Amino acid sequence: MAVGLFIPCYVDQLRPEVGLATLDVLESLGCRPDYPRDQTCCGQPFLTAGLTRESARLARRFVDVFAGYDSVVTPSGSCAATVRRHLASQVDDPRAQALASRTHELCEFIVDVLGVFALAGRFEARIGLHPSCHALRELGLGRPSERMGGGRDDPARLLLGSIEGVSLVAPSRPDECCGFGGVFAIGEPAISCAMGRDRVSAHRTAGAQMIASTDVSCLIHLDGIARHEGAPIRTLHVAEVMAARELG
């Protein structure tokens, strides 16, 4: 299986260690992903801002770069959702729909494509798992609380919960938005920060030592809130937790 590794621009620029952890995890599971160096942004920031012409240019670039791979993996629920839900509507190319269906968030890929449901190793921590809105509600990775029934088990929760020593703690309103929302945090900073403070406080009250998520954007927001509030809580991407587990 030819696997293309898509690293979102904000991971590349702000938290590159998440990209390296993603590579480590995939290689530990027997994959040898290829990282095409001419990849660019998937276009999500432009799309959410209503700049459809600019987002379509990047969408076409994504198709040109990744169409030859059997699967595309990214450590971002929001970027995976952008490709899965919007790529085909932006690009008049027969390759786009098939590519969209082959693009996966990291944990989704591990569970659904590789068929790995549990991870060996040990990582001692009480972790509050923050499901990003895009991963939960656009990719359907979990069971949103606003729906009656349906949904599926969250692959990130399944994998983290299988690691010896990890204790997953549940904050109140466990799938509430952190308040980032891309351009929302810029346009409505007071509301965005208030939502972020609520999330950090809820995780602390639940006893979490760290907050983990499939999206670096959410984690950067929550990390900034925690540091500003002086809260003794770390933020780690799920890939970093999986890569840091001690293997016997």
Side-chain angles (χ1 to χ4, degrees), residues 44-237:
Q44 179 187 172
F46 296 101
L47 186 65
T48 56
L51 301 174
T52 54
R53 180 180 300 178
E54 289 80 359
S55 67
R57 290 177 59 193
L58 292 169
R60 287 192 294 271
R61 179 68 170 179
F62 187 92
V63 172
D64 289 340
V65 171
F66 286 104
Y69 292 98
D70 299 316
S71 291
V72 177
V73 184
T74 181
S76 169
S78 61
C79 288
T82 297
V83 174
R84 183 89 56 81
R85 298 290 297 273
H86 304 288
L87 186 70
S89 65
Q90 296 186 87
V91 181
D92 184 16
D93 187 320
R95 301 175 297 171
Q97 184 63 56
L99 176 58
S101 67
R102 300 197 306 270
T103 300
H104 303 276
E105 181 273 325
L106 172 64
C107 296
E108 178 190 34
F109 175 78
I110 293 172
V111 171
D112 291 353
V113 180
L114 297 185
V116 175
F117 301 95
L119 297 173
R122 185 175 187 85
F123 186 89
E124 289 280 351
R126 294 190 306 276
I127 299 176
L129 182 61
H130 173 73
S132 76
C133 294
H134 285 89
L136 179 62
R137 295 177 172 91
E138 286 204 277
L139 289 181
L141 302 181
R143 295 183 174 89
S145 58
E146 68 271 14
R147 295 184 181 178
M148 298 295 289
R152 59 168 292 178
D153 292 336
D154 180 1
R157 181 172 296 278
L158 182 68
L159 293 172
L160 289 186
S162 72
I163 300 172
E164 185 180 358
V166 168
S167 175
L168 291 174
V169 300
S172 61
R173 305 189 304 274
D175 62 0
E176 188 172 278
C177 178
C178 70
F180 177 66
V183 294
F184 175 78
I186 299 172
E188 299 288 350
I191 300 175
S192 173
C193 289
M195 294 171 70
R197 285 193 295 269
D198 282 349
R199 288 294 79 206
V200 171
S201 176
H203 281 287
R204 289 186 66 188
T205 299
Q209 298 170 309
M210 61 180 60
I211 300 172
S213 180
T214 60
D215 272 275
V216 165
S217 52
C218 297
L219 292 173
I220 289 175
H221 180 61
L222 293 171
D223 183 66
I225 295 289
R227 287 188 288 108
H228 186 268
E229 298 286 306
I233 192 165
R234 298 174 62 196
T235 59
L236 284 178
H237 191 279

